Amino acid sequence: MNQADGRSLRRVLLALLGLFLLACIGFGFAYVLLTLGTESTPASQRFVDLEEYSIWRLLVGVNFAVWFALLPVILIWVNEAKRLLEGNAELVFAAGFLFLILAAFIWAVLDLAPSRTWPLENHLGRTATIQAVGVLAAAPAIIGMLAIGAKVRARPNRWENPTSENLNRVLGLRHYLRRFLAVLGTFIGLVILATGALRHSVVAAGFEYPSEGVVLYGALFTALVAAIYVPTFSAVEGLARQVRNRAFPMPDISSRDGDAAKGDPVKQLEDRAALGETLKLGGTAKTNLETLVLVFTPLLTSLITSALGGG
């Protein structure tokens, strides 16, 4: 191993160590949040002694560990994607739009949620802290997706020219969009697993928590992910299609010989198809299936959690 390889290996190991430490800090924060002051009332004491409560606390700890560890990685991705977008205005727009969505969502939850007695002391304060940290962790990925969609829809005309820079731009935007989707699917799936565990612990303590609430939670997050991802994906797909069409317009295939100046139409169609494949237009069956699973992860997780809980 040469000196350059040794330095690279050390950087990787230090980065992994840093992520591990962040995960430990996140897990410890969650454990303290759901342990400190939970024995102040007899009902709360009985609740935290349940095995189901320990499982919920463990899953919340896993959520925090993942959030803390991945947040700096997501921020790096957003910064890299920003270079492809050539500006900051869309990030500002996306952040403001996200704030309005979340404010409306939180208001609706607080206004429409039925009053309920919880066995855990200061339950609403603890769960509000969990939700706030989760939103902060997921915000960069959501902002990144919204910014990509906003910029691509308002793109300058030169982005559609068939240049190597624009081909790399399309592939790069697809790459980061898929990463952001994977992060959101993972985050929300873990949140819903924890929500299902919370329901099991509350029911075990003798309190009501309908299983439909977990399914509704999953359906709501599935709709949110789809509402953010689908328009952005369509915008990037449209950009890729324009790049291909400018490079290889649809030839006139009425004559096998075609226009001599433009070349063989069959060859043009082959080149057009090859470029479309390079730009990942339409995607492969495997990629489309993986994307579908990621989008529907919240709903699938809620249904599985509800089924395992006995409905």
Side-chain angles (χ1 to χ4, degrees):
M1 179 184 297
N2 57 42
Q3 189 174 3
D5 291 338
R7 284 196 297 268
S8 298
L9 180 59
R10 282 195 295 272
R11 283 196 294 267
V12 171
L13 292 177
L14 287 174
L16 292 176
L17 178 60
L19 294 180
F20 176 74
L21 291 176
L22 286 173
C24 291
I25 292 172
F27 189 91
F29 181 88
Y31 188 88
V32 171
L33 176 66
L34 296 180
T35 302
L36 196 64
T38 56
E39 302 175 357
S40 55
T41 65
S44 186
Q45 173 67 66
R46 289 192 296 271
F47 181 58
V48 299
D49 288 339
L50 293 173
E51 180 181 354
E52 289 83 357
Y53 179 82
S54 298
I55 295 174
W56 176 52
R57 182 169 54 189
L58 173 64
L59 286 175
V60 172
V62 170
N63 273 272
F64 271 69
V66 173
W67 295 342
F68 275 54
L70 288 185
L71 181 57
V73 178
I74 302 170
L75 289 173
I76 292 173
W77 293 346
V78 171
N79 187 59
E80 292 174 349
K82 185 180 70 173
R83 288 198 290 269
L84 295 173
L85 298 177
E86 299 179 348
N88 297 315
E90 286 69 27
L91 289 175
V92 175
F93 159 79
F97 187 66
L98 174 62
F99 175 79
L100 293 176
I101 291 176
L102 293 176
F105 174 75
I106 293 172
W107 174 84
V109 169
L110 294 177
D111 189 61
L112 301 177
S115 58
R116 179 184 292 130
T117 301
W118 298 96
L120 181 63
E121 179 68 15
N122 192 25
H123 173 90
L124 293 179
R126 299 176 198 274
T127 53
T129 301
I130 294 171
Q131 292 168 359
V133 175
V135 166
L136 289 174
I142 299 175
I143 290 172
M145 293 174 71
L146 290 172
I148 289 173
K151 183 65 177 183
V152 171
R153 282 189 290 272
R155 62 185 176 266
N157 189 60
R158 59 184 172 79
W159 279 22
E160 298 177 0
N161 295 330
T163 64
S164 59
E165 179 185 6
N166 288 336
L167 264 63
N168 288 329
R169 189 193 317 277
V170 170
L171 295 176
L173 291 177
R174 286 192 187 280
H175 173 73
Y176 289 112
L177 181 60
R178 187 164 178 77
R179 282 188 174 185
F180 294 147
L181 176 63
V183 165
L184 280 182
T186 301
F187 280 10
I188 295 174
L190 287 173
V191 167
I192 293 174
L193 280 177
T195 303
L198 170 61
R199 173 187 173 267
H200 298 160
S201 62
V202 169
V203 171
F207 291 77
E208 291 186 2
Y209 196 132
S211 61
E212 292 81 4
V214 180
V215 177
L216 182 61
Y217 205 53
L220 182 63
F221 276 118
T222 297
L224 178 63
V225 171
I228 295 172
Y229 174 78
V230 172
T232 301
F233 173 82
S234 298
V236 175
E237 191 81 349
L239 172 60
R241 191 174 293 110
Q242 286 298 106
V243 172
R244 181 204 59 188
N245 291 345
R246 286 198 180 188
F248 298 104
M250 182 65 73
D252 181 8
I253 58 175
S254 58
S255 172
R256 175 64 180 81
D257 295 331
D259 187 343
K262 296 181 179 179
D264 181 5
V266 175
K267 179 64 167 59
Q268 293 178 55
L269 285 174
E270 291 175 350
D271 292 339
R272 177 182 169 91
L275 182 58
E277 185 176 345
T278 299
L279 292 170
K280 301 182 180 180
L281 271 170
T284 64
K286 176 176 177 291
T287 300
N288 291 333
L289 178 60
E290 290 173 352
T291 301
L292 193 65
V293 169
L294 286 173
V295 171
F296 281 93
T297 289
L299 182 58
L300 294 172
T301 306
S302 66
L303 292 172
I304 293 171
T305 301
S306 180
L308 292 177

